[in-house]
Amino acid sequence: MPTINDREYDWSSIEVRSDGGPPLLKITAISFDWTVERSLVEGAGRKPLGMTKGRFKPGNGSITFHRSEYDSLASTAGWCDEVRTIVVQYTDDVLGTKTEALTGVRFGGGKGGGENGTDALTVEVPFMFTGLLINGVSPIADTSVTAQVQ
């Protein structure tokens, strides 16, 4: 996408919601990765014959919460067992709104602590996910088999 008048999305453009709830305001970071894992098709000769369509491979992610928000989240029994949908929206009055929806999200613990200074304490919470829609579409065309998380 071209830059419009040197504008780009920044942290103030991001809104994160879990399961359609209100925006998560007490977060300082969110990150996640994914790939399409492919293999070369080889045969006789020195060059590959082609490439497989591949498989969507969700990576890992994390959300960094302020300590008080983490305490609220972690005070619910089974909070790491609950399957969630996390929606990340990037909104700018010039660039418009873009959305990434992570499905089948399960939190997997926390990395807390503290250090000397004036910054608010935070806890990084890792998660895994099974699905991704970018602006409403899957990054791969074949969506005939969908993982069922229980």
Side-chain angles (χ1 to χ4, degrees), residues 51-129:
M51 185 181 303
T52 63
K53 286 174 50 175
R55 174 179 289 192
F56 175 75
K57 289 288 208 174
N60 294 310
S62 70
I63 299 177
T64 303
F65 292 92
H66 283 281
R67 180 70 208 203
S68 60
E69 186 76 5
Y70 168 78
D71 289 340
S72 176
L73 171 70
S75 67
T76 304
W79 68 278
C80 285
D81 294 330
E82 188 176 330
V83 179
R84 306 166 192 271
T85 296
I86 294 179
V87 176
V88 183
Q89 283 193 316
Y90 308 87
T91 303
D92 181 88
D93 57 349
V94 173
L95 298 173
T97 300
K98 304 298 178 196
T99 303
E100 294 172 312
L102 305 171
T103 58
V105 175
R106 279 192 174 157
F107 290 132
K111 182 179 178 184
E115 60 184 54
N116 184 19
T118 58
D119 292 340
L121 295 180
T122 59
V123 178
E124 182 180 4
V125 177
F127 64 81
M128 295 177 74
F129 62 100

